[in-house]
Amino acid sequence: MRCAPGRLEEVARAVAARPQARSVEVATGDLQVPAEMAVADEAELIELIDRTVGRMPGVLDIHSAVVLRLLLTAVDWAPYDPEPSPLRRLAVEGRPSPPPITVDAVDRELVHLLGEDARMPMSTLAGRLRLGESTVRRRLGRLMSSHVFHLRLFAEPAVLGYPVETRFQLEVRHGSLDDALRRLAGEPSVRHLVVTTGRSNVLGYASHASAGEMHDFDARAFAGLPGLREVRTALLMRTYRRAGRPVGVAGGPVTGRLFHRPAP
């Protein structure tokens, strides 16, 4: 979203309050509020763009794109882990992700319960679901092994020592797209990587320990990238929602990470 001067924070908070919001930030550039929204179908997307966000005070323009391939998410970003996640390894090797599995109402309720308390004992989960412990354990193992569900600690990158975050959009020739994606997936700083519709067909996020490391990443990752036609990068200045969860307190401060480094 492109916003009127003086309306960035107002727009960002309003978008972050929407139930479809997965991530919402304010970035450098042309008064940008980038957002990732999860919708059920095209009708909900049109409703969201045209009659909801499009009518918010302060919104001047909207550019939308649809994710076609999801290669990496925050689950695959582990800066202190010497081994890449299974999905990152597949992306680096150019192999497809596991096919999606079918989930039912019991699977959704299991995920909901763990969302309330990720340390809930198996016996409690079984009681709440009215199933045997072995059945619950088998269902949970199936969800996790297929990468539909992950149990991970939620922490801001700044807390982990990576306060500088960037968003990059690339225009890559289709004939070179797979090679470019493999190279980008091999960069440990990249924590989110997708293929989208539109002229800029690759979107990614990266986290860095300092502005200097950000500069080194840009020079290394994009130099000689196969098929690269155009690069647009933006520095994330504030985050209002991340991984579907609000960041900060409503009406209170949000994260602003520009060159701050947490005390050891």
Side-chain angles (χ1 to χ4, degrees):
M1 289 144 285
R2 187 170 61 88
C3 304
R7 309 298 288 271
L8 278 174
E9 185 170 1
E10 175 187 349
V11 170
R13 289 190 183 279
V15 175
R18 300 298 308 170
Q20 302 97 333
R22 291 284 303 160
S23 66
V24 180
E25 303 104 6
V26 166
T28 57
D30 189 17
L31 298 178
Q32 293 184 51
V33 177
E36 176 189 354
M37 315 294 279
V39 296
D41 51 32
E42 291 86 351
E44 186 179 353
L45 179 60
I46 293 173
E47 174 75 23
L48 184 69
I49 293 173
D50 187 46
R51 290 183 284 277
T52 304
V53 176
R55 296 183 182 182
M56 288 180 178
V59 174
L60 298 179
D61 190 21
I62 298 176
H63 172 77
S64 61
V66 176
V67 173
L68 301 175
R69 290 173 60 189
L70 180 64
L71 287 93
L72 300 176
T73 69
V75 172
D76 304 297
W77 183 66
Y80 299 111
D81 192 339
E83 293 296 324
S85 72
L87 288 185
R88 186 181 290 271
R89 186 178 295 111
L90 290 177
V92 171
E93 295 172 356
R95 293 190 287 155
S97 300
I101 64 171
T102 301
V103 298
D104 58 21
V106 175
D107 293 326
R108 293 187 180 92
E109 181 61 19
L110 173 59
V111 170
H112 174 73
L113 292 172
L114 289 170
E116 292 180 347
D117 181 3
R119 295 175 294 181
M120 190 176 292
M122 197 62 63
S123 58
T124 304
L125 289 169
R128 297 280 294 272
L129 294 170
R130 298 181 181 179
L131 295 172
E133 288 189 35
S134 60
T135 300
V136 174
R137 189 174 291 106
R138 184 169 60 252
R139 279 181 173 267
L140 181 58
R142 172 175 172 267
L143 291 172
M144 296 183 69
S145 64
S146 61
H147 305 286
V148 169
F149 178 70
H150 297 270
L151 285 170
R152 291 290 298 269
L153 172 67
F154 177 81
E156 284 294 301
V159 175
L160 301 177
Y162 294 84
V164 180
E165 297 184 77
T166 57
R167 181 178 190 265
F168 57 86
Q169 293 176 276
L170 313 177
E171 180 188 351
V172 180
R173 288 195 300 270
H174 287 284
S176 304
L177 186 57
D178 288 341
D179 289 340
L181 292 172
R182 285 198 294 269
R183 179 163 166 176
L184 290 169
E187 290 285 344
S189 299
V190 175
R191 60 178 174 82
H192 189 85
L193 186 64
V194 298
V195 176
T196 71
T197 58
R199 177 179 174 183
S200 297
N201 54 349
V202 176
L203 170 66
Y205 286 80
S207 298
H208 311 281
S210 66
E213 288 194 10
M214 175 186 72
H215 175 74
D216 293 342
F217 166 80
D218 288 353
R220 180 183 66 255
F222 303 139
L225 193 68
L228 183 62
R229 288 176 170 169
E230 184 182 27
V231 180
R232 287 188 292 166
T233 61
L235 185 68
L236 302 187
M237 298 184 290
R238 284 187 176 178
T239 296
Y240 295 78
R241 198 170 185 89
R242 189 195 299 275
R245 295 178 177 271
V247 176
V249 180
V254 292
T255 58
R257 65 186 69 76
L258 272 185
F259 303 106
H260 166 73
R261 192 176 181 86

